[in-house]
Amino acid sequence: MLEINFHPFKNLETERLLLRRLAATDVKEIRELRGNPETMKFIPRPLVTSDEEALAHFKLIDDKIESNEGINWAITLKGNPKMIGIIGHYRIQPENHRCEIGYMILPQYNGQGITTEAIKAVLEYGFEDLNMHSIEAVIDPDNIASERVLQKNGFVKEAHILENELWDGKFWDTVIYSLLKRNFKK
């Protein structure tokens, strides 16, 4: 079984991005991201509608890092500390050397390759630092942009599960994509 330890927290850098630890000072940006109906369209979770809810979301993320249950980074452009997205590893299964990757970015940054660039860095961390064997992503089948970014990063479709999640009175399908360590290309 894997030993998961996120301490000390490791920032990740790419050509254009700095992925850093979220801070309580990111509350406004968390609210902007998680409270945006466009950003949350494919995520069956409640909208964040107040600074208090955004702070609670930050605390949830930070507590998971502290307890080595999950890790998230704020996506920022180098030279600008403003958080424009969140990316991380969730649902870590140390016994299976597998985890899930999740990400979201503000709509005004879509189509610039930022998410693809951030995913590459987080995959490298997952495979090299955490020693994962496989990393999955669970998306809504209608989220074509997310599907494309996963395919660009080498993920393959594993399953399409029909109406497996009930949210807000609607049953949602989910699609699972995955990437094996041996197929990961830096």
Side-chain angles (χ1 to χ4, degrees):
M1 183 173 336
L2 290 177
E3 292 288 326
I4 304 296
N5 185 359
F6 301 128
H7 309 285
F9 187 91
K10 183 177 180 180
N11 289 336
L12 307 177
E13 285 191 49
T14 69
E15 184 181 327
R16 298 181 294 166
L17 307 175
L18 171 65
L19 307 182
R20 61 159 174 84
R21 189 164 184 169
L22 272 81
T25 53
D26 293 318
V27 165
K28 179 181 172 282
E29 289 81 9
I30 292 170
R31 183 177 177 185
E32 184 181 357
L33 187 67
R34 300 284 303 194
N36 184 324
E38 179 65 23
T39 306
M40 296 294 291
K41 178 169 50 177
F42 298 113
I43 301 172
R45 301 290 179 269
L47 292 177
V48 169
T49 59
S50 69
D51 287 349
E52 292 76 24
E53 289 175 355
L55 189 59
H57 188 72
F58 158 75
K59 178 116 175 67
L60 176 78
I61 288 169
D62 206 55
D63 288 350
K64 290 202 182 293
I65 294 168
E66 286 303 316
S67 64
N68 295 309
E69 293 177 59
I71 187 167
N72 279 276
W73 292 267
I75 302 171
T76 67
L77 298 171
K78 280 186 176 173
N80 184 349
K82 182 184 187 288
M83 184 191 91
I84 62 170
I86 297 175
I87 189 167
H89 291 293
Y90 309 84
R91 298 183 186 148
I92 297 172
Q93 303 170 32
E95 68 280 8
N96 296 318
H97 295 237
R98 186 171 172 105
C99 66
E100 180 180 335
I101 190 172
Y103 45 86
M104 56 191 329
I105 193 164
L106 289 169
Q108 61 266 37
Y109 295 96
N110 285 338
Q112 299 175 34
I114 292 169
T115 305
T116 298
E117 195 171 320
I119 287 173
K120 283 186 192 320
V122 172
L123 288 174
E124 184 173 348
Y125 178 87
F127 289 129
E128 302 297 327
D129 293 62
L130 299 180
N131 199 28
M132 290 293 157
H133 174 73
S134 62
I135 298 176
E136 70 180 27
V138 180
I139 66 168
D140 184 293
D142 293 330
N143 193 343
I144 304 305
S146 191
E147 181 179 52
R148 284 190 190 125
V149 80
L150 291 170
Q151 290 169 343
K152 278 186 203 171
N153 278 286
F155 281 77
V156 295
K157 188 176 185 177
E158 280 190 348
H160 184 141
I161 305 166
L162 301 174
E163 299 181 3
N164 65 311
E165 187 168 351
L166 177 63
W167 172 253
D168 201 25
K170 174 188 170 200
F171 285 97
W172 294 57
D173 289 7
T174 55
V175 174
I176 300 171
Y177 277 82
S178 72
L179 178 63
L180 297 175
K181 184 176 187 173
R182 69 176 173 255
N183 296 329
F184 173 62
K185 294 174 180 57
K186 292 182 188 180

